[in-house]
């Protein structure tokens, strides 16, 4: 049974890649056949495996942040950030990274930031003669790092997956924070090294038009985003500082970003900050189907004992000090052809607690190793991030050359940085 489920997971990922059909559909169909006709579960039992909490949180948070997308607030914020640093071309990669990180951290999410910043970044590469690989890595790294922030899309998904893996809510927040910190620092090291190396070359002035100022609705959207982030982050931080305070502990337990996002969405709608139909249309339905479909498939894998078998194999056959590196490499290979959020994290996160128990390693290190490895190769042209960048290439940029650069230059650089980061993190955690 375990071998069958592993084969099905591999088939689902391959079928989605080959046919370009959302792997969530394959996962749901495969889950139904295996659960009901092989494992003899009832449709009712299968329905309970739908990850309701993750679905609700992603939906509610997306609705709120889509208000700022629909009225152009986040896109204009990106333009202002880039314009402010137009006279410092040597640090342009870090500027692009910072802009993408801030926008994604405010809730736009990985795909959205890439969708509107990748074309701008590649155009800047043309104008300034900046290396295309470095520009692509800067915007990709920034979108990933910002989305990993604890209140942004990927960070919320990680927290939900951690809680589904049996990690307590407060501990899940701490682990998600570790993931964000490491995935934020790695790009700074990589891009900072490039900026220092390129400082020897002659500076090229960036010609950028000053963006229009924010209108009232856009300002109000930004204020509401900041207020929501403050509320969501304040009580977990206070609880860490004052763990004995019962009132703070009680409020912290009742703080739920999903329900808070719905409340703030309602406030935004009452204030008429954006068109309601457009806000709903911007919900990442493809991501929802993919994550929840794979969640069901992984769920029957857990029920069949896949998690215990795999964690036992890793613990018994890999030296404990090599386990973080092995997990990093496995997730990196998976991410070349699949999504970190939809495939890699839902597949590997459930096995981490068991591996941590068998090996004695810190769970935060293992979870971080998985994400760092996966995001090192997320720029692959076969994956969603790389394909978005490739599709954003304007006239004048050879897509075949860019394809080869992403595959044979960006991925090795990212992988080397990820392995170094995991080794350094292991010495700290």
């Amino acid at each position: 049974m375990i071998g069958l489920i592993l084969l099905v997971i591999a088939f689902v990922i391959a079928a989605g890649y080959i046919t370009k059909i959302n792997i969530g559909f394959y996962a749901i169909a495969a889950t139904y056949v295996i659960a009901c006709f092989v494992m003899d579960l009832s449709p009712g039992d299968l329905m309970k495996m739908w990850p309701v909490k993750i679905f609700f949180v992603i939906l509610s948070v997306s609705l709120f942040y889509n208000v700022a997308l629909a009225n152009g607030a986040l896109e204009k914020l990106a333009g202002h950030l880039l314009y402010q640093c137009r006279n410092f071309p040597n640090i342009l990669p870090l500027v692009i990274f910072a802009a993408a990180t801030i926008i994604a951290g405010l809730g736009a999410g990985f795909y959205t930031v890439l969708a509107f910043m990748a074309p701008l970044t590649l155009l800047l590469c043309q104008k300034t003669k900046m290396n295309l690989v470095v520009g692509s890595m800067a915007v990709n790294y920034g979108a990933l790092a910002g989305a990993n922030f604890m209140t942004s899309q990927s960070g919320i998904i990680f927290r939900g997956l951690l809680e589904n893996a049996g990690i307590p809510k407060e501990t899940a927040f701490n682990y998600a924070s570790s993931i964000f910190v490491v995935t934020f620092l790695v790009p700074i090291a990589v891009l900072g090294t490039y900026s220092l190396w390129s400082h020897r070359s002659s500076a090229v002035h960036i010609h950028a038009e000053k963006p229009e100022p924010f209108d009232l609705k856009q300002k109000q959207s930004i204020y509401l985003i900041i207020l929501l982030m403050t509320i969501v982050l304040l009580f977990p931080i206070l609880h860490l500082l004052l763990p004995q305070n019962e009132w703070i502990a009680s409020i912290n337990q009742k703080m739920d970003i999903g329900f808070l996002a719905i409340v703030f969405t309602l406030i935004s709608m009452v204030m008429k900050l954006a068109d309601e139909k457009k806000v709903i249309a911007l919900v990442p339905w493809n991501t929802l189907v993919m994550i929840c479909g794979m969640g069901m498939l992984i769920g029957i894998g857990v029920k069949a004992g896949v998690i215990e078998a795999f964690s036992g194999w890793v613990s018994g056959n890999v030296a404990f000090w090599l386990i973080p590196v092995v997990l990093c490499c496995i997730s990196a290979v998976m991410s070349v052809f699949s999504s970190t959020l939809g495939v890699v994290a839902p597949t590997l996160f459930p096995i981490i607690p068991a591996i941590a128990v068998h090996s004695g390693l810190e769970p935060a290190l293992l979870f971080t190793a998985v994400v760092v490895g996966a995001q090192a190769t997320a720029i692959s042209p076969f994956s969603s991030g790389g394909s978005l960048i490739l599709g954003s290439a304007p006239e004048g940029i050879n897509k075949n050359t860019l394809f080869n650069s992403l595959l044979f230059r960006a991925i090795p650089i990212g992988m080397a940085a990820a392995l170094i980061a995991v080794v350094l993190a292991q010495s700290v955690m």
Side-chain angles (χ1 to χ4, degrees):
M1 177 61 67
I2 292 176
L4 173 63
I5 292 177
L6 291 176
L7 284 174
V8 170
I9 291 175
F11 167 77
V12 164
I13 295 172
Y17 166 69
I18 293 171
T19 64
K20 307 302 181 185
I21 296 174
N22 192 312
I23 64 172
F25 293 123
Y26 285 105
I28 294 170
T31 302
Y32 170 62
V33 172
I34 294 175
C36 294
F37 299 101
V38 178
M39 298 176 66
D40 199 28
L41 297 176
S42 69
D45 292 331
L46 180 59
M47 192 65 68
K48 294 176 184 177
M49 294 184 183
W50 182 264
V52 175
K53 182 174 182 178
I54 292 177
F55 179 89
F56 174 72
V57 170
I58 297 175
L59 175 64
S60 57
V61 172
S62 296
L63 286 170
F64 172 61
Y65 287 120
N66 285 350
V67 175
L69 286 172
N71 64 25
L74 293 183
E75 185 174 0
K76 189 171 289 185
L77 180 58
H80 277 280
L81 290 171
L82 290 174
Y83 177 78
Q84 293 302 318
C85 296
R86 64 195 180 281
N87 293 322
F88 305 97
N90 289 327
I91 63 168
L92 184 58
L94 288 169
V95 173
I96 293 171
F97 168 75
T101 300
I102 292 172
I103 303 303
L106 288 174
F110 172 65
Y111 301 105
T112 303
V113 171
L114 270 191
F116 71 78
M117 282 201 66
L120 175 62
T121 300
L122 294 178
L123 284 171
L124 284 173
C125 288
Q126 279 187 314
K127 293 180 179 180
T128 65
K129 307 302 179 183
M130 183 174 67
N131 188 293
L132 280 173
V133 171
V134 174
S136 299
M137 291 183 69
V139 69
N140 186 69
Y141 266 145
L144 288 168
N148 290 346
F149 191 63
M150 293 76 74
T151 61
S152 193
Q153 187 184 78
S154 301
I156 292 167
I157 292 172
F158 291 148
R159 287 166 60 188
L161 292 172
L162 287 167
E163 291 178 28
N164 281 357
I167 306 298
K169 180 179 178 181
E170 294 175 14
T171 307
F173 181 89
N174 294 337
Y175 289 173
S177 301
S178 298
I179 291 172
F180 167 71
V181 170
V182 175
T183 56
F184 177 75
L185 293 178
V186 170
I188 292 178
V190 173
L191 299 173
T193 300
Y194 171 81
S195 295
L196 289 174
W197 175 79
S198 64
H199 184 70
R200 297 173 301 175
S201 61
S202 58
V204 180
H205 186 74
I206 301 173
H207 300 283
E209 294 183 4
K210 185 176 182 179
E212 294 292 326
F214 292 99
D215 61 31
L216 179 60
K217 291 184 178 181
Q218 291 168 342
K219 289 180 180 179
Q220 290 172 335
S221 289
I222 298 296
Y223 295 153
L224 286 176
I225 289 174
I226 294 172
L227 179 59
L228 175 61
M229 291 174 62
T230 302
I231 293 173
V232 170
L233 293 174
L234 177 63
F235 287 97
I237 292 173
L238 287 176
H239 184 59
L240 288 174
L241 297 175
L242 303 170
Q244 304 303 321
N245 189 300
E246 294 183 1
W247 180 80
I248 292 177
S250 175
I251 297 297
N252 184 50
Q253 285 293 322
K254 296 174 183 177
M255 287 290 107
D256 184 274
I257 191 169
F259 287 106
L260 283 171
I262 289 294
V263 171
F264 274 71
T265 301
L266 177 60
I267 293 172
S268 300
M269 292 297 99
V270 171
M271 296 173 66
K272 299 188 182 303
L273 299 185
D275 179 69
E276 181 180 340
K277 292 182 179 179
K278 189 173 182 180
V279 169
I280 295 175
L282 287 171
V283 171
W285 299 110
N286 285 338
T287 302
L288 279 169
V289 171
M290 180 170 59
I291 290 172
C292 294
M294 283 301 295
M296 293 182 75
L297 184 55
I298 298 303
I300 64 167
V302 172
K303 198 172 185 66
V306 171
I307 304 306
E308 291 81 0
F310 187 71
S311 61
W313 179 85
V314 171
S315 302
N317 294 277
V318 179
F320 79 94
W321 58 272
L322 269 179
I323 289 177
V325 173
V326 170
L327 287 174
C328 178
C329 292
I330 291 173
S331 62
V333 172
M334 292 175 66
S335 183
V336 169
F337 301 100
S338 59
S339 163
T340 301
L341 298 179
V343 176
V344 181
T347 301
L348 296 182
F349 270 26
I351 73 172
I352 298 301
I355 291 177
V357 171
H358 283 112
S359 65
L361 292 170
E362 177 61 40
L365 169 65
L366 302 181
F367 285 119
T368 302
V370 168
V371 177
V372 169
Q375 296 191 345
T377 58
I379 200 170
S380 162
F382 300 116
S383 191
S384 51
S387 61
L388 272 173
I389 292 172
L390 197 63
S392 300
E395 291 185 11
I397 290 180
N398 189 311
K399 289 193 176 184
N400 290 330
T401 302
L402 181 58
F403 178 96
N404 291 329
S405 296
L406 294 179
L407 190 60
F408 299 113
R409 294 181 62 191
I411 288 180
I413 292 172
M415 195 64 227
L419 290 173
I420 293 172
V422 169
V423 172
L424 291 176
Q426 189 169 0
S427 65
V428 175
M429 293 185 178

